[in-house]
Amino acid sequence: MFTDYTKIIIKSGDGGNGAATFRREKYVAAGGPDGGDGGKGGDIYFQVDKDKNTLIDFRYNKRYKAGNGENGSGSRCNGKYGEDLYIKVPIGTILRDKETNKIIADLSKPGQTELVLKGGRGGRGNSHFATPTRQVPRFSEAGDKGEEKEIILELKLLADVGLLGFPNVGKSTFLSTVTEARPKIANYHFTTLEPNLGVVKMKGGDGFVIADIPGIIEGASEGVGLGIQFLRHVERTRLLLHFIDVSGQEGRNPVEDYKTINEELKKYSEKLATRKQIIVATKVDTIQDDSGFKELEKLAKKENLKIFKISSVTGEGVEELLDYTSKMLKELPKEELIEQEERIVYTLEEKDQEWEAKREGNEFYVTGRAVDRLMGRINIEDNESMYYFHKCLKNMGIDAKLKELGICDGDTVYISDWELEWEE
């Protein structure tokens, strides 16, 4: 089964907690804090695997999690880092953020590895919080939680040439004739339900990859049939062979077929609509009325397009088409064929300073990752820890914001999951 689109949930590892311990040895008075740091949580990487050619594995396993960091311990022993997770995908896989639809990474190079999600930082042990005035800190930091994201994986075939056209116009027969590919072939529409790849080997030693895209129909750009799934594969080809049935057996109008398919390309992507095309008039061995072909020939001349008459059954025109295709590929640049947006790597640091304060009646709420991290460091039973807490509120600007909102002595303030009473 060929799978080219799926969604998975990935979560980086949680950071380990820092330790709040003290040195206790015989003959060593007031040894002081010696709590070690928690280990960093594991990162998540995506890596191209040359042996994979489908996303089928992700149909059955939808959740992926990196290892958690271990907690710190006494004697300044730091916790072990969480194990990184490497998720292997086929070449040509695009990663998107499900929430924003932004491209995270484009895995289109052999062996390419991309960091996608960073693990949570390990919390600091209490040895970091000792100062000349606070010599016995009884608190440490909790580790940061890992980040969780829902990711869309799209596989776009990497081919030089895309075969384009309505169903049952001879694309699969052509592919089986000129390559070693063996697609399913039958005389009915939608025989091809998934893309097929084949390699053409030319006499001079050159070669190129052809993708047989399942038949596109009117409305494909809006998702009619399996249109959008098919159109995404055309995006990466450098040259399009537009197959049009001119036999007249099904009463089709070749010129209208050409216009309809190109209209769908334009609706889907303006850039795709400008891709270089060659018109391939097919099934000429069974042609009943050549008026359709003559009209198509006039259109090709008007649009300044090359047109070939072929029959994959008899071989007529096939070699000439391949020679011209090979020549065109040497002239067309190998550019990035998708519009590459700025690549994203989600990092917890981006949200470390985020917080929001609001008032509802006489109650005040402070939320955000910054305060979640702060509350992870606090021991509310310890006076020194609470002094550190109030100092952080002031340094972060939360103190000033609450006063701006009109907080008074005795008012209730909710910070993260804690309910506290405000005191000046």
Side-chain angles (χ1 to χ4, degrees):
M1 180 184 292
F2 184 91
T3 301
D4 62 355
Y5 181 94
T6 191
K7 300 174 188 174
I8 62 172
I9 295 173
I10 58 175
K11 185 181 184 301
S12 55
D14 299 337
N17 298 328
T21 59
F22 297 89
R23 186 180 178 191
R24 293 288 183 264
E25 292 182 37
K26 193 175 182 179
Y27 307 122
V28 178
D34 68 349
D37 300 340
K40 175 184 169 299
D43 299 331
I44 291 185
Y45 295 84
F46 279 78
Q47 187 174 56
V48 170
D49 184 346
K50 64 180 177 61
D51 295 323
K52 289 185 178 290
N53 53 22
T54 175
L55 300 176
I56 188 69
D57 294 346
F58 300 100
R59 287 174 62 99
Y60 309 107
N61 188 2
K62 294 288 188 180
R63 300 188 70 91
Y64 295 83
K65 186 180 183 304
N68 294 332
E70 294 183 359
N71 296 334
S73 56
S75 301
R76 297 181 185 268
C77 290
N78 296 334
K80 184 180 178 181
Y81 279 21
E83 186 175 355
D84 295 336
L85 176 63
Y86 287 81
I87 300 174
K88 296 188 176 182
V89 295
I91 190 168
T93 302
I94 299 251
L95 308 183
R96 289 185 183 272
D97 179 0
K98 168 71 164 51
E99 185 178 353
T100 65
N101 205 39
K102 295 272 189 181
I103 292 177
I104 301 170
D106 174 17
L107 296 157
S108 56
K109 299 174 183 175
Q112 184 177 351
T113 301
E114 296 286 357
L115 170 62
V116 171
L117 217 57
K118 287 188 176 181
R121 292 183 300 189
R124 291 179 292 176
N126 65 338
S127 57
H128 289 276
F129 300 99
T131 67
T133 57
R134 184 176 61 230
Q135 297 182 0
V136 190
R138 294 182 176 85
F139 61 95
S140 59
E141 283 183 344
D144 284 344
K145 297 295 182 184
E147 193 82 350
E148 182 172 290
K149 287 287 177 184
E150 186 171 9
I151 300 294
I152 296 172
L153 278 68
E154 295 179 18
L155 177 58
K156 298 189 178 185
L157 298 178
L158 296 175
D160 300 299
V161 178
L163 307 186
L164 196 63
F166 274 88
N168 200 31
V169 294
K171 300 188 301 296
S172 296
T173 304
F174 175 79
L175 184 72
S176 66
T177 301
V178 301
T179 74
E180 296 296 323
R182 291 294 174 263
K184 181 180 178 183
I185 300 171
N187 190 30
Y188 56 85
H189 290 193
F190 298 108
T191 308
T192 305
L193 294 178
E194 56 190 43
N196 293 296
L197 284 179
V199 179
V200 176
K201 297 177 181 177
M202 303 298 291
K203 292 178 181 177
D206 295 329
F208 52 88
V209 180
I210 293 182
D212 171 21
I213 311 301
I216 294 170
I217 61 177
E218 190 169 3
S221 58
E222 282 87 36
V224 175
L226 296 174
I228 288 178
Q229 289 93 317
F230 297 159
L231 282 168
R232 82 162 58 95
H233 295 298
V234 186
E235 280 187 289
R236 293 210 161 188
T237 56
R238 292 189 288 145
L239 179 64
L240 299 176
L241 300 188
H242 192 155
F243 279 58
I244 300 175
D245 181 357
V246 296
S247 67
Q249 290 179 325
E250 297 189 18
R252 305 195 64 90
N253 184 317
V255 172
E256 289 303 313
D257 284 358
Y258 170 83
K259 290 179 178 179
T260 300
I261 293 292
N262 277 282
E263 187 61 29
E264 292 305 318
L265 293 183
K266 188 175 181 181
K267 287 179 182 177
Y268 180 76
S269 166
E270 287 284 349
K271 188 172 182 180
L272 185 56
T274 62
R275 191 71 33 83
K276 182 72 176 177
Q277 284 190 32
I278 298 172
I279 296 179
V280 182
T282 65
K283 303 185 181 181
V284 296
D285 57 309
T286 59
I287 197 165
Q288 297 177 350
D289 181 359
D290 65 355
S291 60
F293 172 72
K294 288 179 178 178
E295 290 298 317
L296 187 63
E297 205 170 24
K298 290 178 184 177
L299 174 69
K301 188 174 181 180
K302 181 181 175 182
E303 299 285 338
N304 196 27
L305 295 175
K306 191 77 173 176
I307 184 170
F308 286 86
K309 292 171 64 177
I310 74 161
S311 167
S312 298
V313 175
T314 65
E316 179 185 346
V318 171
E319 189 173 343
E320 291 83 352
L321 173 60
L322 293 179
D323 288 340
Y324 185 78
T325 300
S326 179
K327 176 186 173 185
M328 289 304 302
L329 288 173
K330 292 175 182 177
E331 297 175 3
L332 292 173
K334 290 187 177 181
E335 57 177 329
E336 288 292 335
L337 295 176
I338 64 165
E339 295 181 7
Q340 185 64 283
E341 303 170 40
E342 183 178 351
R343 196 178 141 272
I344 302 167
V345 174
Y346 293 104
T347 59
L348 302 178
E349 290 90 336
E350 294 171 359
K351 299 185 178 181
D352 279 350
Q353 303 306 316
E354 290 181 4
W355 60 267
E356 179 185 13
K358 62 181 180 179
R359 177 175 182 169
E360 294 181 6
N362 289 327
E363 294 181 341
F364 297 79
Y365 295 84
V366 183
T367 57
R369 187 172 186 87
V371 292
D372 289 342
R373 291 192 70 243
L374 174 60
M375 296 311 293
R377 307 171 189 171
I378 303 305
N379 177 2
I380 61 174
E381 305 297 330
D382 179 71
N383 289 334
E384 285 187 332
S385 183
M386 289 304 291
Y387 173 77
Y388 172 77
F389 169 62
H390 286 295
K391 183 179 178 182
C392 288
L393 289 183
K394 186 174 181 180
N395 292 340
M396 293 168 66
I398 296 174
D399 190 302
K401 182 63 178 180
L402 291 173
K403 289 178 180 177
E404 182 184 317
L405 294 172
I407 198 168
C408 300
D409 277 348
D411 286 343
T412 301
V413 56
Y414 295 90
I415 300 181
S416 193
D417 294 327
W418 297 87
E419 179 182 340
L420 304 170
E421 184 177 314
W422 184 261
E423 291 181 4
E424 286 286 351

